[in-house]
């Protein structure tokens, strides 16, 4: 009897246990179904937990760099935002500029450090003061994340430079796309790695964000802007110096906010309150009604927006009038022709492949009519046309970080010069074409600093063993040729990307002949000389 009752009890109990287990499994599955994990590769790449500091450099054999590097490491080591890892390695010491131009070198510098990001610094002392470059690079892609530059600081004391270094560090932190991180979550309670030292106050509400997209400069790779989405908001109830404790007020889905989630800006952007509500579609017109409107806004006032500096290259055109002199020393009688107002046009362009490497091109066309200098030769008037082009590759040594800064640039290129002339009977001049390698140097400097409106510059070049081709006849069996160019110019800045320029150029193309050519009278030498004054406008992009 007891066995029967026991078997019936088991039969009833087993379905109940199975149902309970089934309900528990379904609950867990359902619970798991509503949990959400928002993941972004970009957000994870920008997560910085550990940082290091590469050796600083200067141009004074370490007089400044050693002291400021030690001070900077102390500041980083004492911060609550990141964990500091000392740099170790015997590789080459690279400047921030070298790392900016080569992410591969930056990744190599980060190998073995075990950090998410690292700092690099360079100091240089010049006649105008001390310049400091301080940059923060990501270890994963080796690209620049944030940067601060102090230019021509007039104080040279270590203590003064340390104070400026602290300001630059704060500037770099302010430019990061987030302000802090969630350190832990327990239920709806969270811990954040910002506190009183960051300006946090009790009951302050912060946004928790995720970075989903970034935009970098196409040439220099530094961060321009980020796109974020808000995951939720937290309210901070207890504030310590470097930590804050609070609760989650709202989030997009359950458990969206997790350890490592990023905290957005600590302060909201505020705007001045309007004195009154206006539905006028053009409220700026009311500004002129102020008592000081005429003084403060002037006539035809309009909104001002800063113009971004050029970073890719420049293109421009010039028109000029030149003095031409052509000579040919033939056996019977020297021949000379001149034109004092020969017009020409010229196009110039540059592509800044890197901040140092420049590819340049030039095209010039001109018309130079002359009187036939040979008695008894026909026609009496000869037409000449000038065709010149060149391409060059230069290494630009910039003396400042700005596009208007002074620079010095040696370059190597190829040129082709051709002066076509009408045929005459008896023969007078031949069409001459010089071509070959060109070696030169150019440069410019602003007057009154980079913010000055005026500047000056110059260029010098010569041909390296240029070749000569003559048609329809040759003046000699062989020739020794030369090409020399020299120019000076001045410019005025119109805007951040435009300038007008005036330039004075001197050119000489010459040949000494040996042996007998195919012309009736052999020639011993020939030359073309130009003095040209031109003006034009350039646009930088």
């Amino acid at each position: 009897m007891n066995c029967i009752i026991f078997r019936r009890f088991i039969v009833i109990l087993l379905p109940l246990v199975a149902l309970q287990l089934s309900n528990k499994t379904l609950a867990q599955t359902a619970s798991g179904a509503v949990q959400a994990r928002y993941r972004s590769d970009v957000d994870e790449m920008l997560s910085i937990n550990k940082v290091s500091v590469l050796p600083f450099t200067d141009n004074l054999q370490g007089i400044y760099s050693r002291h400021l590097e030690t001070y900077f490491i102390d500041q980083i080591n004492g911060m609550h935002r990141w964990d500091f890892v000392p740099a170790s390695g015997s590789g080459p010491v690279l400047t921030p500029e070298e790392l900016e131009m080569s992410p591969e070198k930056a990744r190599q510098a980060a190998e073995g450090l075990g950090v998410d990001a690292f700092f690099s610094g360079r100091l240089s002392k010049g006649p105008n003061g001390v310049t400091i470059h301080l940059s923060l690079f990501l270890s994963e892609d080796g690209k620049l994340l944030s940067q601060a530059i102090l230019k021509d600081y007039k104080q040279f004391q270590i203590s003064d430079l340390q104070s400026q270094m602290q300001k630059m560090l704060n500037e770099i932190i302010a430019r990061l796309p987030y302000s802090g991180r969630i350190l832990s979550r327990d239920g709806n309670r969270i811990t954040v790695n910002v506190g009183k030292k960051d300006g946090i106050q009790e009951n302050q509400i912060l946004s928790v964000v995720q970075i989903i997209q970034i935009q970098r400069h196409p040439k220099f790779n530094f961060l321009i802007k980020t796109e974020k989405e808000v995951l939720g908001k937290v309210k901070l109830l207890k504030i310590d110096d470097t930590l804050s404790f609070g609760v989650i007020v709202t989030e997009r889905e359950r458990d969206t906010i997790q350890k490592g989630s990023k905290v957005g800006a600590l302060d909201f952007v505020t705007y001045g309150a309007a004195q009154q509500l206006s539905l006028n579609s053009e409220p700026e017109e009311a500004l002129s009604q102020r008592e000081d409107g005429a003084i403060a806004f002037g006539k035809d006032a309009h909104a001002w927006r800063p113009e971004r500096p050029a970073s890719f290259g420049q293109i421009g055109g010039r028109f000029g009038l030149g003095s031409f002199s052509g000579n040919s020393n033939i056996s019977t009688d020297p021949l000379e022709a001149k034109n004092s107002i020969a017009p020409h046009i010229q196009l110039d362009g540059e592509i800044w492949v890197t901040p140092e490497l420049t590819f340049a091109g030039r095209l010039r066309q001109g018309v130079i009519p002359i009187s036939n200098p040979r008695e008894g030769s026909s026609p009496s008037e000869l037409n000449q046309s000038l065709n010149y082009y060149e391409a060059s590759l230069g290494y630009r040594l910039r003396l400042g970080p700005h596009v208007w800064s002074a620079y010095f640039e040696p370059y190597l290129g190829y040129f082709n010069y051709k002066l076509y002339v009408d045929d005459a009977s008896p023969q007078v001049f031949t069409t001459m074409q010089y071509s070959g390698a060109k070696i030169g140097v150019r440069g410019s400097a602003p007057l009154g600093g980079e913010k000055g409106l005026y500047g000056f510059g110059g260029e010098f070049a010569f041909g390296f063993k240029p070749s000569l081709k003559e048609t329809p006849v040759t003046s000699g069996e062989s020739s020794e040729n030369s090409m020399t160019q020299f120019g000076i110019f001045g410019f005025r800045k119109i805007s951040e990307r435009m300038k007008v320029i005036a330039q004075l150029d001197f050119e000489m193309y010459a040949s000494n002949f040996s042996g007998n050519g195919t012309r009736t009278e052999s020639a011993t030498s020939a030359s073309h000389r130009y003095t040209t004054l031109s003006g034009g406008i350039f646009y930088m992009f």
Side-chain angles (χ1 to χ4, degrees):
M1 181 66 179
N2 292 334
C3 293
I4 295 174
I5 295 175
F6 179 75
R7 285 196 299 269
R8 291 178 178 177
F9 177 76
I10 292 298
V11 171
I12 296 173
L13 181 62
L14 286 176
L16 293 176
V17 172
L19 180 61
Q20 181 63 23
L21 291 175
S22 175
N23 289 339
K24 184 175 181 180
T25 303
L26 291 173
Q28 290 175 341
T29 303
S31 176
V34 299
Q35 292 181 356
R37 175 62 174 169
Y38 284 79
R39 183 183 180 278
S40 167
D41 292 336
V42 173
D43 188 86
E44 293 181 3
M45 182 181 66
L46 296 179
S47 298
I48 302 177
N49 299 315
K50 297 179 180 181
V51 299
S52 187
V53 178
L54 298 187
F56 284 12
T57 61
D58 64 20
N59 60 348
L60 295 172
Q61 298 181 345
I63 294 177
Y64 283 124
S65 61
R66 286 194 298 267
H67 293 282
L68 293 182
E69 178 188 336
T70 301
Y71 173 80
F72 187 76
I73 289 177
D74 290 340
Q75 299 303 307
I76 295 294
N77 201 16
M79 292 180 62
H80 60 281
R81 289 179 176 268
W82 306 305
D83 294 331
F84 173 71
V85 177
S88 59
S90 58
V93 179
L94 301 176
T95 65
E97 294 85 348
E98 291 174 321
L99 295 172
E100 290 172 23
M101 297 311 304
S102 177
E104 180 60 30
K105 291 182 179 179
R107 286 195 296 268
Q108 293 175 0
E111 289 181 358
L113 296 179
V115 296
D116 304 301
F118 61 90
F119 286 91
S120 176
R122 181 180 66 84
L123 302 91
S124 59
K125 183 179 179 182
N128 296 325
V130 176
T131 297
I132 304 177
H133 289 248
L134 188 62
S135 302
L136 177 63
F137 296 87
L138 288 175
S139 298
E140 182 174 339
D141 61 3
K143 295 182 179 180
L144 181 65
L145 179 60
S146 185
Q147 183 184 63
I149 298 177
L150 175 67
K151 189 175 185 301
D152 296 338
Y153 185 62
K154 304 302 181 183
Q155 302 297 326
F156 301 99
Q157 298 295 326
I158 294 294
S159 57
D160 293 323
L161 296 177
Q162 288 175 344
S163 176
Q164 295 301 315
M165 186 74 73
Q166 180 63 59
K167 293 180 180 179
M168 296 175 70
L169 176 59
N170 294 336
E171 183 179 341
I172 285 179
I173 294 175
R175 290 177 178 175
L176 296 179
Y178 59 94
S179 301
R181 293 176 289 112
I182 303 294
L183 297 180
S184 66
R185 173 174 180 172
D186 182 11
N188 283 348
R189 297 187 297 272
I190 52 95
T191 306
V192 187
N193 70 335
V194 291
K196 293 179 180 178
K197 292 184 177 181
D198 303 288
I200 295 295
Q201 300 178 358
E202 288 188 1
N203 297 320
Q204 186 169 349
I205 296 179
L206 301 178
S207 296
V208 180
V209 300
Q210 183 179 68
I211 303 170
I212 59 177
Q213 188 174 353
I214 61 175
Q215 181 178 344
R216 294 185 179 275
H217 190 278
K219 182 176 182 181
F220 300 108
N221 289 322
F222 61 79
L223 201 61
I224 296 177
K225 67 178 182 179
T226 60
E227 183 177 342
K228 308 172 185 176
E229 62 178 352
V230 177
L231 302 183
K233 293 183 180 294
V234 297
K235 183 176 183 180
L236 304 180
L237 304 177
K238 181 181 178 182
I239 313 298
D240 288 344
D241 288 341
T242 61
L243 293 175
S244 297
F245 307 90
V247 295
I248 297 175
V249 178
T250 181
E251 58 183 334
R252 298 189 66 170
E253 296 183 39
R254 185 180 299 276
D255 295 330
T256 300
I257 298 175
Q258 293 290 335
K259 176 182 177 181
S261 296
K262 294 175 176 58
V263 175
L266 301 181
D267 295 319
F268 287 100
V269 180
T270 57
Y271 305 95
Q275 297 296 323
Q276 61 183 6
L277 177 64
S278 173
L279 299 179
N280 184 3
S281 60
E282 298 180 351
E284 63 274 10
E285 294 181 357
L287 297 175
S288 61
Q289 305 302 320
R290 289 175 41 161
E291 294 181 359
D292 61 346
I295 299 176
F297 305 103
K299 185 179 179 180
D300 299 328
H302 59 278
W304 173 84
R305 292 192 305 174
E307 186 176 4
R308 295 183 60 185
S311 59
F312 294 99
Q314 66 175 352
I315 188 171
R318 288 186 280 149
F319 173 80
L321 296 175
S323 173
F324 167 79
S325 175
N327 295 274
S328 180
N329 292 322
I330 61 176
S331 58
T332 57
D333 188 27
L335 301 176
E336 181 180 8
K338 293 184 177 181
N339 186 320
S340 299
I341 52 171
H344 83 269
I345 58 172
Q346 179 169 308
L347 298 178
D348 292 274
E350 289 182 358
I351 296 295
W352 303 328
V353 183
T354 71
E356 293 81 20
L357 199 61
T358 302
F359 177 79
R362 176 172 293 172
L363 175 64
R364 186 172 62 187
Q365 299 284 337
V367 178
I368 312 172
I370 58 174
S371 298
N372 193 332
R374 190 168 190 176
E375 293 184 2
S377 179
S378 178
S380 60
E381 297 292 331
L382 301 177
N383 293 315
Q384 295 185 125
S385 62
L386 167 67
N387 185 354
Y388 178 92
Y389 64 86
E390 72 171 64
S392 64
L393 194 64
Y395 189 83
R396 182 160 297 185
L397 303 173
R398 297 182 181 272
L399 305 182
H402 200 270
V403 68
W404 295 97
S405 301
Y407 74 89
F408 176 80
E409 180 181 340
Y411 65 90
L412 176 65
Y414 173 84
F415 80 96
N416 185 291
Y417 160 85
K418 183 177 182 180
L419 183 65
Y420 171 83
V421 61
D422 287 342
D423 199 8
S425 180
Q427 189 72 44
V428 181
F429 297 112
T430 61
T431 296
M432 306 182 74
Q433 181 176 357
Y434 292 86
S435 60
K438 177 181 179 180
I439 302 173
V441 61
R442 53 189 166 224
S444 72
L447 296 174
E450 296 170 358
K451 295 184 180 180
L453 294 178
Y454 295 91
F456 67 96
E459 180 176 359
F460 172 78
F462 65 92
F464 181 73
K465 296 182 178 180
S467 63
L468 171 64
K469 180 180 179 181
E470 280 187 286
T471 56
V473 293
T474 59
S475 300
E477 184 178 356
S478 61
S479 62
E480 293 184 0
N481 313 305
S482 65
M483 182 277 283
T484 305
Q485 296 175 337
F486 173 77
I488 55 176
F489 63 87
F491 65 85
R492 187 187 189 281
K493 182 179 178 181
I494 300 178
S495 67
E496 191 64 33
R497 295 194 175 192
M498 294 189 70
K499 62 182 177 182
V500 292
I501 186 171
Q503 184 159 336
L504 180 63
D505 291 298
F506 306 90
E507 297 174 77
M508 178 74 171
Y509 304 87
S511 296
N512 291 319
F513 301 103
S514 60
N516 295 321
T518 59
R519 67 183 299 167
T520 306
E521 308 98 339
S522 61
T524 58
S525 65
S527 65
H528 297 161
R529 294 190 299 271
Y530 297 88
T531 301
T532 307
L533 179 62
S534 62
I537 188 168
F538 279 73
Y539 174 74
M540 294 178 287
F541 52 92

